Amino acid sequence: MNQKTRIPRTVSLPGFSAPAVGLDQPFEMLSACHERVQRTLRLLEKIVAHVQTHGPDEKATDAAVDVLRYFDLAAPRHHEDEELHVFPLLLQQNDATLTNAVTRMQADHVQMTAQWARLRESLVGLSQASNGSAPFSVLTLAQEAAKFIALYADHVHTEDTLLYPAAIALADPALLARMSADMRARRTVSR
């Protein structure tokens, strides 16, 4: 087994914590979200490798819950931020390169949502596998996870290296303030 597929004993599976970037810095927030996406995808890879070796034990089920939480809650908000603020700004430029990239990213969001629904079923099955209350297949989890991870690879790179820098160059303080206020409002939970 190579290092990539083996989980060293010093690595704990469940979750991770990282300092958050404030919503008053919307592009920094979007970039930080990409870092969290990458960490969560690495956690997903570790879960798959762990389950292939050890089965659906408590470590794997706890980690599955963390992945579920991230992609159920944070990732959709991130995509919504891009759809509402980054993509429209770039499409207004009538630049063929930017327009083509934005169109690809929008299509990716649709594919990611559909693939997440399939992967989510496997992760829910894993999260409940230890008590036998849901069907679970290691092979299906591995296949769906690989597809999901592959969707994100070029997507994040394109946004980080092309779209975000282009949008940042176009953003003035008023636009950043509106973007920040909207992101904050959509994340505020009424009690």
Side-chain angles (χ1 to χ4, degrees):
M1 211 179 268
N2 65 33
Q3 281 289 39
K4 190 173 185 181
T5 58
R6 202 175 109 237
I7 301 172
R9 292 189 187 274
T10 58
V11 175
S12 68
L13 276 178
F16 51 82
S17 61
V21 174
L23 289 170
D24 55 333
Q25 301 170 317
F27 281 100
E28 288 83 351
M29 173 80 168
L30 292 172
S31 291
C33 205
H34 279 177
E35 291 171 18
R36 286 188 288 278
V37 164
Q38 297 292 6
R39 283 196 304 269
T40 307
L41 292 174
R42 285 191 299 271
L43 177 60
L44 178 59
E45 288 175 324
K46 290 176 183 179
I47 291 167
V48 170
H50 184 86
V51 171
Q52 289 171 329
T53 304
H54 304 285
D57 62 11
E58 187 177 346
K59 279 187 173 183
T61 59
D62 288 348
V65 169
D66 288 340
V67 172
L68 284 161
R69 183 180 315 112
Y70 184 80
F71 284 106
D72 278 348
L73 300 174
R77 286 180 180 155
H78 175 78
H79 290 176
E80 189 177 27
D81 293 335
E82 292 171 340
E83 297 279 347
L84 292 172
H85 299 289
V86 179
F87 298 166
L89 177 64
L90 297 173
L91 290 172
Q92 292 170 2
Q93 305 313 303
N94 294 316
D95 176 285
T97 300
L98 293 176
T99 298
N100 288 336
V102 167
T103 302
R104 265 191 1 258
M105 298 303 100
Q106 289 170 321
D108 283 357
H109 285 177
V110 172
Q111 285 183 294
M112 289 168 170
T113 300
Q115 184 57 35
W116 172 244
R118 291 185 289 276
L119 174 57
R120 187 179 193 290
E121 286 181 34
S122 289
L123 287 168
V124 167
L126 170 58
S127 72
Q128 298 171 358
S130 62
N131 63 21
S133 64
F136 173 70
S137 162
V138 175
L139 178 60
T140 301
L141 172 65
Q143 291 171 338
E144 300 303 339
K147 291 174 191 172
F148 191 66
I149 291 165
L151 281 171
Y152 268 97
D154 182 57
H155 183 89
V156 168
H157 177 76
T158 299
E159 289 179 345
D160 284 344
T161 61
L162 176 64
L163 298 184
Y164 287 4
I168 290 167
L170 296 166
D172 61 28
L175 181 131
L176 292 172
R178 286 191 307 274
M179 187 173 170
S180 177
D182 179 68
M183 289 169 74
R184 185 172 282 108
R186 285 185 292 105
R187 284 166 174 78
T188 302
V189 178
S190 300
R191 291 181 192 243

